[in-house]
Amino acid sequence: VVRTSESRPTYHHGDLARALREEALRLIQEAGPDAVSLRELARRIGVNHAAVYRHYEDKLALLAAVAEDGWTKLVETMRASLAEEAAKSALPTDRLVRLLTSYVRFALAHPAHYRVMMGPRLNETGRFPSLEDPIEKGVTLLLTEIKAARAGGNLTEDRARDWALRVWMFAHGYVTLVLGRRVQVKPSRWEEYFQTLLLPMLGGR
Amino acid sequence: VVRTSESRPTYHHGDLARALREEALRLIQEAGPDAVSLRELARRIGVNHAAVYRHYEDKLALLAAVAEDGWTKLVETMRASLAEEAAKSALPTDRLVRLLTSYVRFALAHPAHYRVMMGPRLNETGRFPSLEDPIEKGVTLLLTEIKAARAGGNLTEDRARDWALRVWMFAHGYVTLVLGRRVQVKPSRWEEYFQTLLLPMLGGR
DNA sequence: ACCTGAACACCGTTCAAGT
DNA sequence: ACCTGAACACCGTTCAAGT
């Protein structure tokens, strides 16, 4: 019953679930996560607001799906940063710095999306285990680069995981404080400053 | 027109602004920041919901006031941690660790309140400059201890501030990842683990 | 000065009913 | 299988009116 002409189909949207996620993301980027309402989404897509519930259990479940899309995209971006020509031939520590910088770049470029991804209502409840999947992949990327960068330390698996968490915590803290304007840093200089703060951490043991 | 008997005064609450902040905090601790509604607060206090607007410009302004109370309390707690007997005679690095641990302890003990304090809607807009006041005091505490702990490095003011931000970012990241259950750590062991992660950062230079 | 009552324009969620 | 329309129980905010 999908219609291809310009007339609005009254039945069968095609892929409403996807349309909802995409429209939600657009609204999040435009006006922040609080601006998302199911009724507004439905209005924009041209569908009855109750139709949402055929595809997502409730509003939070839709946001969780948007968050999952975000994590997947972020991990792809991180992977791509390691696949660049300049990264391939770089020293291990430099590769690690590039990886973390790509994480922060994504978060600063898509602050509202990142906020949803880190949203406590999604993560604290344990209701959305599928979120863990792309995240664990990101941690694995980190682990690999950390083992290479700190090979001199002869890291056990546990110590390597400690380092992965430590740098992740720091990167997230950096994002939070920069976005919250707790740190005054010119938009053009955040990368330089991030690396200034990061490098002395990696040097220690 | 304030009445002291058990009969409910219908006019003049006494200190409605304070009552609103306290009730909001209670609701936040019980059911999370999203559970706060002005109408529910008014209901609990026994006042018309429109009365809120005599004291706060809107809902966000009330939350900002609750956040400010939180920052003030947190900085008091941090100050107290340095005033303990054990801290007075401790080595500078130990004092710094104690200070940061007290920060994390507050955040993990009052996660919902901490979330409000860090809420992006308060911090990104610049609408509530009074929030910066207690926060800046906290940063000053950090700065003093960092200068003492890393005196060997002969820190300039700028480098000391870098270190203060770095450890703050890390502490905030630790809180976020622990609360988001991204890090599996037993409630009784978070302190030990925090310090395990923190100390190698402080050693480097 | 401080609070009330009513009104306005929204929400999320549910459910019988339609195609 | 997928969507609609109406209903329910809420919201935040505004404003004339009360004491």
Side-chain angles (χ1 to χ4, degrees):
Chain A
V1 204
V2 176
R3 307 246 225 91
T4 48
S5 79
E6 73 286 352
S7 75
R8 275 247 294 301
T10 55
Y11 186 72
H12 260 240
H13 176 273
D15 193 349
L16 183 53
R18 164 186 272 270
L20 283 166
R21 274 176 283 141
E22 287 176 356
E23 198 61 48
L25 180 55
R26 238 187 310 269
L27 200 52
I28 284 165
Q29 317 250 45
E30 280 170 25
D34 293 330
V36 176
S37 92
L38 298 184
R39 293 177 105 108
E40 175 65 18
L41 289 180
R43 234 175 271 130
R44 289 183 174 217
I45 295 173
V47 94
N48 186 281
H49 59 264
V52 179
Y53 291 85
R54 285 293 130 195
H55 300 276
Y56 293 102
E57 215 174 67
D58 54 21
K59 187 180 177 176
L60 202 58
L62 170 59
L63 287 176
V66 172
E68 194 178 335
D69 286 354
W71 282 112
T72 303
K73 224 168 123 185
L74 169 52
V75 172
E76 271 168 26
T77 305
M78 289 169 70
R79 211 188 295 276
S81 80
L82 293 178
E84 284 168 15
E85 261 330 296
K88 281 188 193 165
S89 55
L91 292 174
T93 299
D94 186 36
R95 281 172 60 85
L96 180 57
V97 170
R98 282 166 178 274
L99 186 65
L100 289 166
T101 303
S102 77
Y103 177 100
V104 174
R105 181 178 300 121
F106 181 95
L108 295 183
H110 313 286
H113 200 177
Y114 183 73
R115 210 178 299 149
V116 173
M117 289 155 61
M118 277 293 187
R121 295 172 65 213
L122 303 185
N123 299 317
E124 285 176 22
T125 59
R127 233 190 96 191
F128 307 105
S130 61
L131 277 174
E132 306 309 318
D133 208 55
I135 294 173
E136 197 51 41
K137 280 182 188 149
V139 172
T140 303
L141 282 182
L142 262 181
L143 268 175
T144 306
E145 295 309 313
I146 274 166
K147 282 178 192 160
R150 299 184 60 85
N154 220 350
L155 296 180
T156 64
E157 195 64 27
D158 276 0
R159 301 288 286 162
R161 201 163 179 100
D162 284 355
W163 272 104
L165 288 175
R166 186 157 28 214
V167 294
W168 185 16
M169 287 164 179
F170 170 69
H172 172 68
Y174 184 83
V175 169
T176 305
L177 266 54
V178 169
L179 288 180
R181 301 186 199 276
R182 298 265 116 84
V183 186
Q184 302 301 338
V185 51
K186 279 190 207 163
S188 62
R189 290 194 156 259
W190 72 260
E191 194 167 323
E192 182 186 342
Y193 190 51
F194 175 66
Q195 295 175 3
T196 300
L197 292 181
L198 173 63
L199 281 170
M201 280 179 56
L202 299 179
R205 148 66 196 195
Chain B
V1 202
V2 177
R3 307 243 224 92
T4 49
S5 80
E6 71 288 351
S7 76
R8 277 248 294 302
T10 55
Y11 188 72
H12 260 238
H13 177 273
D15 192 350
L16 182 54
R18 163 187 274 271
L20 282 167
R21 274 176 284 140
E22 288 176 353
E23 199 62 46
L25 181 54
R26 237 187 311 270
L27 201 52
I28 285 164
Q29 316 251 44
E30 280 171 24
D34 294 330
V36 176
S37 92
L38 298 184
R39 294 177 106 110
E40 174 67 17
L41 289 179
R43 235 175 271 131
R44 287 182 176 218
I45 295 172
V47 91
N48 185 283
H49 61 263
V52 178
Y53 292 86
R54 285 294 129 197
H55 301 275
Y56 293 101
E57 216 174 66
D58 54 21
K59 186 179 176 179
L60 202 57
L62 171 57
L63 287 175
V66 171
E68 193 178 336
D69 286 355
W71 282 112
T72 303
K73 225 169 124 187
L74 169 52
V75 172
E76 274 168 24
T77 305
M78 288 169 71
R79 212 187 297 278
S81 79
L82 292 178
E84 285 168 14
E85 260 333 298
K88 281 188 192 163
S89 54
L91 293 172
T93 300
D94 186 37
R95 281 172 60 84
L96 179 58
V97 170
R98 281 166 178 275
L99 186 65
L100 290 166
T101 302
S102 77
Y103 176 99
V104 175
R105 182 178 298 121
F106 181 95
L108 295 184
H110 312 287
H113 200 177
Y114 183 72
R115 211 177 300 151
V116 174
M117 289 155 61
M118 276 293 185
R121 296 171 63 210
L122 304 182
N123 299 316
E124 286 176 21
T125 58
R127 229 190 99 190
F128 307 105
S130 61
L131 277 174
E132 306 308 319
D133 209 53
I135 293 174
E136 196 51 40
K137 279 181 189 150
V139 171
T140 303
L141 282 181
L142 262 182
L143 267 177
T144 308
E145 296 308 316
I146 273 166
K147 283 179 193 158
R150 299 184 59 87
N154 222 350
L155 296 179
T156 64
E157 195 64 26
D158 275 0
R159 301 288 286 162
R161 205 165 175 99
D162 283 355
W163 272 103
L165 288 176
R166 185 159 26 213
V167 294
W168 184 15
M169 287 164 180
F170 170 69
H172 172 69
Y174 184 83
V175 169
T176 305
L177 266 53
V178 168
L179 289 179
R181 301 187 200 276
R182 296 266 116 84
V183 187
Q184 302 300 335
V185 52
K186 279 188 206 165
S188 62
R189 290 195 154 257
W190 72 258
E191 194 167 324
E192 183 188 340
Y193 190 52
F194 175 66
Q195 295 175 4
T196 299
L197 293 182
L198 173 62
L199 282 170
M201 282 178 54
L202 298 178
R205 155 59 195 187

